[in-house]
Amino acid sequence: MDRMARKKSSSQGRLEFGSGEASSGVADSAACATENGPEPGPAIPAEAPAAAPAASPAKTGGARRTVYVLDAHAILYQVFHGMGPMTSPSGQPVGAIYGFCRDVLDLFDKRKPDYLFCAFDSSGPGFRHSLFADYKVHREEMPSDLKFQVGRLKETLEALAIPILESPGFEADDVMATAARRAIEDGLDCYLVTNDKDCRQLLNDHVALYYIRKQEMYGPEQLLVDWGIRPEQVVDFQTLVGDPVDNVPGVPLIGPKTATGLLQELGTLENLLKNIDKVPGKKKQENLRDAQPTLQISRDLVRLRDDVPIEIDWERGCAGGGDPAAVDAIVREFGFRGLGQRMMVLANRGCDNPLPIDLPAGFEVSGGAPSSDESRRLSKVGDADWKADYRLIDDEEKFRSFLAELSNVEEFAFDTETTSTHPRQAIVVGLSFCWKEGEAYYLPLMGPPESKLLDRETTIAGLKPILEDPNKRKLTHHGKYDVQVLRTAGIVVHGIVFDSLVADYLLQPGARAHGMDEQAKYYLRHENISITSLIGTGKKQIRMDEAEVADVAVYAAEDADVTFRLANLLRKEIDDAGLALLFDEIEMPVSETLAEMEYRGIAVDAERLRLLGEDLGKQIEALRERLFEMAGELFNPDSPKQLGELLFNKLKMPVIKRTKTGPSTDAEVLEELADRLGEGSLPAALMEYRQLTKLKGTYIDAFLDPTCQIIHPKTKRIHTSFMQDVAATGRLSSKDPNLQNIPIRSENGRAIRSSFIPGESGWKLFSADYSQIELRVLAHFSGDEALRDAFAREEDIHTRVAAQVFEVAPEEVDREMRRRAKAVNFGIIYGQSPFGLSKGLGISREEAASFIDAYFRGYPGVQQFILQTLRDTRRLGYVSTLSGRRRPVDGVRDPDTVKDPYQRTVPERIAVNTVIQGTAADLIKVAMVRLEQGIAAAKLRARLLLQVHDELVLEAPEEEVDAVAAIVRETMTGADRHPCLQPLAVPLSIDAKVGDNWRDGVTYDFPK
């Protein structure tokens, strides 16, 4: 797109200062010179301060440059409330930092400012408080999870060389006003990145507001449309109207519409006060006269100061010149991946000592590459210390020699290249092996036409005895994928002793990714070849078997080499961290069990799903008709734009929160509206509609779509993937598809479960679920006698707690009492505050706080456990489960000095929850491994198929059910008797069902 076309497309409906973009680009030189400066803007109006002399470093060749000044606290609040919870690998809240940095990078990418600064409020009272003691008196204290992030954000900005502007006693608005004045003096166009209406008084031909969520400019013309006034009238307008948020007094009965009319007629507040008799309405006239003593104070409160004593060096606002090493350390600490790479690009710009971040090229391969040098050493640009010799084994003679050498090796790393990321659908394209650092081999089985390949049957037959030998120690990365792929090819792999993905997960459980590329960067300071450089992306993407064999050889051999190097390094890390027993006795065995479960899959009744889909479709259509009737018009309930127009513009419902495009209509907003308006309201019906459409789309339409192949076309089973490297607590999760999220509380959700069936005629599904395992773990750790006694007697714990808290006999506990007790029981584990409990139960915050108080009085050991856990975490910097699994947690406050003991920060909630939930995860993993072993030892045909949180699902011949039940009971209730664990102080208990599908099982009664 040429320059004029770009200008036209970007300026429609938006305010620009003389050019289609904020500027032509960010420069690396000290003066931030651009190759093509923006076109000159309109002349500065006569009333604006005169421009600085031409010698100003902020001007070059007469072109006006742009400066963006961000209202830091305002943006932090926006992203803090607008994003879901996000924590660093060590449990620190980092969501606001993430969102803020993303906004800054987006500004650089989309607006291309010449200069950028961040304005912060000063801490403590400012000059306005001396004018009016009750200024902002109603403002709530900044949330502790956000307060923590302010300081860390400043560190991040400093590392990125983005200047911070702040001054004691002044707010960010005053700082922005001062920056805007000086920008005009130096011939700059200034954009203030804020939604604050106070800043509208600063608007002129060279100062505009930039609404970052909407990506729109706001200038004098937009102000005239919104408020019907000019920028110089904004202070008078706000003085009249007041500001309840900041507790700025206004004039009673004079709202925005009245203020606009008065200022349009009389011009200024001074002229208005001279002509009070012209104001329509005796009461308004009276109010204006009565308010005169406070109007000047209000005016001083809303008027922004543009004389803040700050130094502004425009050149410091140029992008670049940061500290790449500091940024690298920060993004690693915070766990930022894609955003972290973007931050590193910015940090490297114009830096004297940049860190390598771009994917380097330059690998060459011996044996199959277009080169006669068979022993060429391989290296990468920017990766000079990486020495490697990768060989392509592409003929029978080379393969025999390779196989002879591999046969004599006791430990090696291997990896597969395949046609699909789904192991049950994948075909092996080739295999790579490494048993010496820097030396690796690739065996090609598929490639483009005319490629030189090995014979598949011969190669598989030659590798089979080695890969199946349990005495040959194998090293892998995400080995359960390779195990399934090779199982399909006819090789049952045994002897995997180390998996770098699992090891890194144990060492850094809070990290967002444990992939080989991330590990190579972190541990080896090495940049792996990008998969996209090999097979491309988007419409041009090819399969691995379509890529050139020589290119695949280097990529695959590097994978095996990196896996080998990581294994040697991480094994020592695991040993030094005291995690060897957990790794060897729980995590690696459960990885093997998961591979078996994934390979087996679970059978699905497709016809049953089809009928359920038809029924849900009818329910959805009927609900759509009801929605139209309630709304009084036709609309698209799947369109956020149409929904927002209906709810907030036509029906005038309150706006709960906003997004870039307008009022939000997400689930949280609908839930809040439904709570306010009742179960029979339109928002409540919309929530039901979304639940039904999501259920149908996710678990019926997708399952039955033949292009998705979620139901395997040959096995007729669903082969989900269990991930043991996602949840930092140690819990397993599921994807492709996620079978752990099928709703169980709704009838339609349970109906989906009815389509999961045994895969053999005459077989049954057997499911076993731990009974309140997390509360039993809590009883163990807390040592609370009352809690332990309840479990020892096998009482209903929720009824027991309700009786204790409400001071009634257990038989007098009604359904509502038990519901509240259950909410508190589980809320304690997750660090729920009185506010959260009140929202969940629909009671007042005072009632919720009283209920929590009563709970802790009845179970004092629980409160002492929480406090001691927080003390230990603060002292050690991590928490541990019963198995010794560790999770680093930073930012825990001293629990003995916290004013409100029920307001827990994110790190504090993580600390307590990890101990409980992580120990429960350890127990069920042990149970899974022992159950698999027990079934094999008994030579039963039964198979373990699924793990869903605290539930295990098996299929078994009907005649084996009792034998399977006995093994299940023994392994699950005895899971705490394991070398990594210790017997719990309360008994473990399970509930079991057996039936023809996953929903309709009947209770299985274990023998007494």
Side-chain angles (χ1 to χ4, degrees), residues 644-658:
E645 175 69 22
L646 172 67
L647 296 179
F648 306 115
N649 292 343
K650 295 181 180 177
L651 300 180
K652 304 300 182 183
M653 292 186 185
V655 175
I656 306 300
K657 65 179 180 179
R658 294 184 178 274

Side-chain angles (χ1 to χ4, degrees), residues 520-673:
K521 292 176 190 175
Y522 186 82
Y523 294 108
L524 305 176
R525 293 289 177 177
H526 170 70
E527 193 83 43
N528 284 349
I529 299 171
S530 166
I531 181 67
T532 57
S533 69
L534 195 65
I535 63 174
T537 59
K539 294 181 179 179
K540 295 184 179 180
Q541 183 173 326
I542 60 175
R543 295 193 311 270
M544 189 65 80
D545 58 302
E546 296 173 320
E548 291 298 323
V549 171
D551 296 333
V552 177
V554 182
Y555 174 85
E558 181 188 55
D559 280 357
D561 183 16
V562 168
T563 299
F564 185 82
R565 299 190 198 212
L566 286 173
N568 290 331
L569 188 152
L570 295 181
R571 178 79 252 185
K572 184 178 185 304
E573 295 264 348
I574 289 286
D575 291 342
D576 291 347
L579 298 171
L581 195 61
L582 171 62
F583 179 81
D584 294 328
E585 299 297 330
I586 295 183
E587 291 297 337
M588 286 305 297
V590 87
S591 182
E592 183 178 345
T593 299
L594 293 174
E596 289 292 323
M597 293 164 60
E598 292 177 16
Y599 186 82
R600 293 166 186 154
I602 185 167
V604 180
D605 184 343
E607 178 60 18
R608 169 68 176 159
L609 271 180
R610 187 186 66 78
L611 294 173
L612 288 173
E614 289 182 358
D615 181 60
L616 270 179
K618 292 176 182 177
Q619 292 184 47
I620 290 169
E621 190 55 39
L623 187 53
R624 283 172 64 91
E625 293 299 323
R626 185 153 64 92
L627 289 174
F628 299 153
E629 184 179 338
M630 297 173 76
E633 62 179 67
L634 296 177
F635 68 100
N636 181 1
D638 299 310
S639 167
K641 183 176 181 181
Q642 290 189 31
L643 197 54
E645 175 69 22
L646 172 67
L647 296 179
F648 306 115
N649 292 343
K650 295 181 180 177
L651 300 180
K652 304 300 182 183
M653 292 186 185
V655 175
I656 306 300
K657 65 179 180 179
R658 294 184 178 274
T659 66
K660 290 181 179 181
T661 56
S664 172
T665 59
D666 65 12
E668 184 181 351
V669 168
L670 292 182
E671 184 178 1
E672 177 72 23
L673 291 173

